[in-house]
Amino acid sequence: MIPQISSSLFETQSPDVNDQIEILRAKVVELSNQVDQVAQAAGIEHAADHATRLSIFHGYIGVFFIAFLGTLLVTPIMRRLAVSHGIIDRPNEARKVHKQPIAYLGGVAVYAGLMLGILFSYIGPRIPGLLTTHATTHTDFAGDVAPVPLSVLLGLTIIMIIGLIDDVTGISPRVKVGGQLVAAAALAVENFGVKLATGFLQPIGMLIGNEHLVWNIPLPFSIPGLNLDHITLDVIYWTGTAIIAFAVIGLCNAANLIDGLDGLLTGTTAISSVGFLVLALGLALADDGPRDSQRIVLCLALFGACLGFLPHNFNPANIFLGDAGSMLLGFTSCVIILSFGDTGKTFIVVAGLLVFALPVIDTSLAIVRRVMARKSISEADDQHLHHMLKRSLGVKGAVFVLYGIAASFATLGVLISMVRARSIYAIALVIAAFIGVIAIKIARKKLIEEQANRFDSRPASTSNPTAEAPKSPATPIAPRTPTPEPASQ
């Protein structure tokens, strides 16, 4: 690390300030060379100034291998347990594409891989050669980087258990949402993602003259018995908590809704995790904050778990994620996206959402479609993007097309983080609008056809009220005598 130079040096009266600048610059170069020499003597191949995304990635690659192998090996075990206990998905609905019963409990295997990868990040740095953390100034008193918080592990466990109960016995949507809120509360307790609110409130603070974001508002009451005479409301914390709750519910259910074809959610989440990883490596390269190492571990664990499960889940699948797996992948993606805003970089959060845009767009279209059809938002249908593509291209064709769309959004998200170009936002908006309009048009086509069929099936007198009723030929029709018009005055 290059030490900061006191500004008092620049205040020294000298006839030639340029000479002083050159002297200081030479000292900086000398100190930098000394840092490199010490790093080489300690056996560190890459000093902080020479670090790259690839070098940081290599240090954490063990997390990927552990998550991949763990999921790959645990999945057959969970499939046998599911079959032996009758925990299978039966094709009893027309919108389901599989024709034979398929085992559930794939989500438990993905959970096992995720947890093994994360736990490896706890052990790896303490054993030479297993896991090498990147050079950072955000370390504890022992010089170690902060591991993935226990609140994240608790949230992953809660989400998996709620989904598992739904897969085995079935629970109401309200109970599932309640479990998602408990998982969100676990994140908020440890301030994981709460600071994201700073980026959203900062423009408001500048408008009202609160540039330093002092949002502790005193409340007009007190609790004397508990020695709480001055109670304040931390607006940033509670706004962040609300954002966490909304994000967890939204992304968990978005992932659940798009899980409709063999290998679809698993593959698209793997693609998204690569985009997340590039964003996380960029922040680590800039030494963004204490979440840098945690983000990389979560991205690699998610990527490895998805790739470990994909061979079992790709068409023809022999095991499904179930709600335990689909909500788990959505929650993990949500945690990574929330962590991008830990230092107030809202544009990185937007980039993360763009990387995960496919499930978000599909869920938004489902809500719009059901509102337009005057149906319940929670009512299932066969008009999702994957259903439409499957009718035209088949299961594998639809999956590969959606893989391509997911890869396009991941690329756009990474580009936004690098250049912050408005043109990238425009391209993303055009793609999303194009997908949305086509999907709504196809969904409305079926509704219009149903309305037209109901109209054509009406009796003639009902469908054309202005037409005259048929006359009986046996009844003579008397000529109508015209009524004389009143004379004009």
Side-chain angles (χ1 to χ4, degrees), residues 447-461:
L447 180 62
I448 293 173
E449 290 175 352
E450 293 176 352
Q451 292 175 344
N453 292 334
R454 287 197 299 268
F455 181 83
D456 293 340
S457 63
R458 294 178 181 179
S461 59

Side-chain angles (χ1 to χ4, degrees), residues 390-477:
K390 179 256 177 184
R391 287 191 283 267
S392 300
L393 305 174
V395 175
K396 289 184 179 178
V399 168
F400 281 123
V401 168
L402 291 170
Y403 282 178
I405 295 174
S408 300
F409 280 119
T411 303
L412 291 174
V414 171
L415 289 176
I416 285 178
S417 70
M418 293 180 175
V419 297
R420 305 193 203 182
R422 295 182 181 179
S423 58
I424 305 299
Y425 287 102
I427 293 173
L429 178 62
V430 169
I431 295 175
F434 191 81
I435 295 173
V437 170
I438 290 179
I440 293 176
K441 180 177 69 174
I442 295 175
R444 291 289 293 174
K445 180 180 178 182
K446 182 178 180 181
L447 180 62
I448 293 173
E449 290 175 352
E450 293 176 352
Q451 292 175 344
N453 292 334
R454 287 197 299 268
F455 181 83
D456 293 340
S457 63
R458 294 178 181 179
S461 59
T462 304
S463 60
N464 188 8
T466 60
E468 296 183 2
K471 308 294 191 300
S472 174
T475 304
I477 301 175

Side-chain angles (χ1 to χ4, degrees), residues 126-195:
R126 308 188 183 282
I127 302 177
L130 285 185
L131 190 149
T132 304
T133 58
H134 66 287
T136 177
T137 59
H138 301 281
T139 57
D140 58 17
F141 63 91
D144 299 327
V145 298
V148 176
L150 294 178
S151 61
V152 174
L153 303 184
L154 178 60
L156 292 172
T157 305
I158 293 172
I159 290 294
M160 189 277 296
I161 291 175
I162 291 295
L164 179 61
I165 295 174
D166 189 33
D167 292 334
V168 176
T169 63
I171 55 177
S172 67
R174 292 183 178 180
V175 175
K176 284 201 293 186
V177 171
Q180 293 164 7
L181 289 175
V182 173
L187 298 178
V189 167
E190 207 164 348
N191 288 328
F192 196 98
V194 170
K195 295 180 181 178

Side-chain angles (χ1 to χ4, degrees), residues 111-122 147-161 182-184 186-187 190 192 291 294 297-298 301 328 331-332 335:
Y111 170 79
L114 278 171
M115 296 298 288
L116 287 173
I118 295 172
L119 292 177
F120 174 79
S121 69
Y122 282 79
V148 176
L150 294 178
S151 61
V152 174
L153 303 184
L154 178 60
L156 292 172
T157 305
I158 293 172
I159 290 294
M160 189 277 296
I161 291 175
V182 173
L187 298 178
E190 207 164 348
F192 196 98
R291 303 287 187 200
Q294 301 169 8
V297 169
L298 287 172
L328 183 66
F331 180 79
T332 309
V335 169

Side-chain angles (χ1 to χ4, degrees), residues 69-419:
L69 293 175
T71 307
L72 186 70
L73 298 177
V74 172
T75 299
I77 299 174
M78 300 314 302
R79 183 174 62 83
R80 295 191 189 97
L81 287 175
V83 172
S84 62
H85 291 81
I87 308 173
I88 55 179
D89 183 21
R90 298 170 177 82
N92 53 4
E93 297 180 16
R95 63 188 178 87
K96 294 186 176 182
V97 298
H98 58 285
K99 303 303 180 184
Q100 59 184 3
I102 305 294
Y104 272 144
L105 300 186
V108 180
V110 173
Y111 170 79
L114 278 171
M115 296 298 288
L116 287 173
I118 295 172
L119 292 177
F120 174 79
S121 69
Y122 282 79
I123 302 171
R126 308 188 183 282
I127 302 177
L130 285 185
L131 190 149
T132 304
T133 58
H134 66 287
T136 177
T137 59
H138 301 281
T139 57
D140 58 17
F141 63 91
D144 299 327
V145 298
V148 176
L150 294 178
S151 61
V152 174
L153 303 184
L154 178 60
L156 292 172
T157 305
I158 293 172
I159 290 294
M160 189 277 296
I161 291 175
I162 291 295
L164 179 61
I165 295 174
D166 189 33
D167 292 334
V168 176
T169 63
I171 55 177
S172 67
R174 292 183 178 180
V175 175
K176 284 201 293 186
V177 171
Q180 293 164 7
L181 289 175
V182 173
L187 298 178
V189 167
E190 207 164 348
N191 288 328
F192 196 98
V194 170
K195 295 180 181 178
L196 174 61
T198 304
F200 288 98
L201 293 176
Q202 188 172 14
I204 301 175
M206 295 179 66
L207 288 176
I208 63 177
N210 189 5
E211 298 180 2
H212 299 289
L213 293 177
V214 180
W215 292 88
N216 293 324
I217 301 177
L219 298 180
F221 57 85
S222 60
I223 307 178
L226 298 178
N227 295 323
L228 297 177
D229 297 331
H230 303 285
I231 302 176
T232 59
L233 177 66
D234 190 343
V235 177
I236 291 181
Y237 176 81
W238 290 108
T239 302
T241 301
I243 292 174
I244 293 172
F246 179 79
V248 168
I249 293 174
L251 296 188
C252 284
N253 289 284
N256 191 17
L257 288 176
I258 203 175
D259 185 27
L261 296 178
D262 296 352
L264 176 56
L265 177 60
T266 309
T268 54
T269 304
I271 294 170
S272 297
S273 65
V274 175
F276 293 149
L277 179 61
V278 176
L279 296 176
L281 291 172
L283 291 175
L285 191 62
D287 199 14
D288 180 67
R291 303 287 187 200
D292 291 341
S293 179
Q294 301 169 8
R295 279 189 289 260
I296 297 173
V297 169
L298 287 172
C299 291
L300 286 172
L302 178 62
F303 185 41
C306 287
L307 288 190
F309 185 71
L310 188 57
H312 303 281
N313 186 233
F314 194 76
N315 184 262
N318 60 13
I319 188 170
F320 286 160
L321 283 168
D323 281 8
S326 60
M327 291 198 306
L328 183 66
L329 295 184
F331 180 79
T332 309
S333 301
C334 178
V335 169
I336 296 171
I337 294 172
L338 289 173
S339 71
F340 288 141
D342 187 66
T343 56
K345 292 182 174 62
T346 310
F347 76 97
I348 300 293
V349 177
V350 175
L353 286 173
L354 186 55
V355 169
F356 200 66
L358 182 59
V360 175
I361 291 175
D362 183 65
T363 301
S364 301
L365 290 175
I367 294 173
V368 172
R369 183 174 63 248
R370 291 165 189 174
V371 169
M372 293 173 63
R374 298 180 180 178
K375 296 180 179 179
S376 172
I377 294 178
S378 60
E379 183 176 347
D381 60 21
D382 60 350
Q383 297 299 316
H384 288 276
L385 293 174
H386 53 273
H387 289 133
M388 298 177 189
L389 290 171
K390 179 256 177 184
R391 287 191 283 267
S392 300
L393 305 174
V395 175
K396 289 184 179 178
V399 168
F400 281 123
V401 168
L402 291 170
Y403 282 178
I405 295 174
S408 300
F409 280 119
T411 303
L412 291 174
V414 171
L415 289 176
I416 285 178
S417 70
M418 293 180 175
V419 297

